[in-house]
Amino acid sequence: MKYIVRSFKYFAYLAIFLCIVLVLLSVFGVIGSSLNDIFREGAKSLWKIAGILVIFAIIYPRLGFGTRKAFVPGAYDEIRPGVVELMHDRGYVLESENGENLTFRLQSPVMRLFRMLEDRITFTRTGSGFELEGPVKDLVRIASALESRFRPE
């Protein structure tokens, strides 16, 4: 269900972004003001553009969200403060804690809006550390920082 919601969000985001760009280009006189001036086939082109946006909106959540494992040795009580501090330094706040599982959200409302409220990173405790779930571009950085911070000497 989460995948479908993300796809709809990305479709809406892309459609709004495209409309804003076209309006700005039209206002500044870079392109014409009618659909026949903007697109070669006029209004018929809108279906093709919508199809491309749908395809991208279906594919992107699969590529943009995922899981990563981070090797973090030690007892949970010992490493928890370091994990919370590391995430706070990266602009995240602790949203919830369920046993040894942590969930973080971005602190800045502006950044949350830019990410369409898809900014949650979940830490699930495993035997060797954590399994992180969220936006892949953030997971790679956070997993690397965690492993670096808690690397045994």
Side-chain angles (χ1 to χ4, degrees):
M1 185 66 179
K2 196 185 299 187
Y3 188 84
I4 294 170
V5 171
R6 283 182 180 151
S7 292
F8 279 118
K9 281 184 180 181
Y10 277 100
F11 177 78
Y13 182 78
L14 291 170
I16 290 169
F17 180 75
L18 181 62
C19 288
I20 290 171
V21 168
L22 290 175
V23 166
L24 288 174
L25 289 174
S26 180
V27 166
F28 290 116
V30 176
I31 59 175
S33 59
S34 73
L35 288 176
N36 290 328
D37 294 338
I38 297 172
F39 303 114
R40 184 179 304 170
E41 295 180 27
K44 291 180 185 178
S45 298
L46 295 179
W47 291 108
K48 293 177 184 176
I49 293 170
I52 291 169
L53 294 180
V54 165
I55 290 169
F56 186 75
I58 289 171
I59 293 172
Y60 183 74
R62 172 85 54 203
L63 302 174
F65 295 89
T67 60
R68 292 286 188 270
K69 292 184 188 245
F71 177 70
V72 183
Y76 178 75
D77 294 335
E78 296 171 3
I79 61 176
R80 183 197 176 280
V83 170
V84 173
E85 180 184 344
L86 178 120
M87 292 301 288
H88 180 58
D89 293 345
R90 295 184 175 275
Y92 286 86
V93 292
L94 183 62
E95 180 184 44
S96 67
E97 184 172 4
N98 186 9
E100 294 185 348
N101 301 330
L102 305 166
T103 303
F104 294 90
R105 299 293 301 252
L106 278 172
Q107 186 172 4
S108 167
V110 174
M111 288 303 296
R112 291 190 70 209
L113 281 177
F114 279 134
R115 295 191 180 189
M116 295 179 294
L117 305 177
E118 294 289 344
D119 60 333
R120 180 178 285 124
I121 296 181
T122 304
F123 286 65
T124 304
R125 186 76 167 140
T126 63
S128 62
F130 289 101
E131 182 174 279
L132 287 74
E133 181 182 352
V136 171
K137 66 181 180 179
D138 293 335
L139 294 184
V140 172
R141 293 181 195 129
I142 291 169
S144 176
L146 277 172
E147 290 175 349
S148 176
R149 174 176 245 171
F150 293 103
R151 182 178 302 136
E153 296 300 325

